[in-house]
């Protein structure tokens, strides 16, 4: 495991965590919208 291995793992990990964050943000957005409809 050298600098190249580190770079590869970082490159692979970033898109995964980004897509997870985007998905979580989308879910929370939908939940907030549904909750607002129920309250009103």
């Amino acid at each position: 495991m050298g600098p190249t291995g580190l770079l590869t793992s970082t490159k692979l990990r970033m898109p995964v965590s980004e897509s997870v964050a985007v998905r979580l943000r989308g879910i929370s957005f939908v939940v907030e919208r549904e909750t607002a409809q129920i309250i009103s």
Side-chain angles (χ1 to χ4, degrees):
M1 184 95 176
T4 47
L6 249 169
L7 267 171
T8 309
S9 62
T10 307
K11 273 184 199 164
L12 284 173
R13 207 175 300 131
M14 275 308 291
V16 173
S17 57
E18 266 178 40
S19 64
V20 168
V22 167
R23 203 172 299 143
L24 282 174
R25 206 176 303 138
I27 289 167
S28 63
F29 172 74
V30 169
V31 169
E32 277 175 36
R33 200 177 56 191
E34 295 286 316
T35 309
Q37 282 179 354
I38 292 164
I39 291 169
S40 62

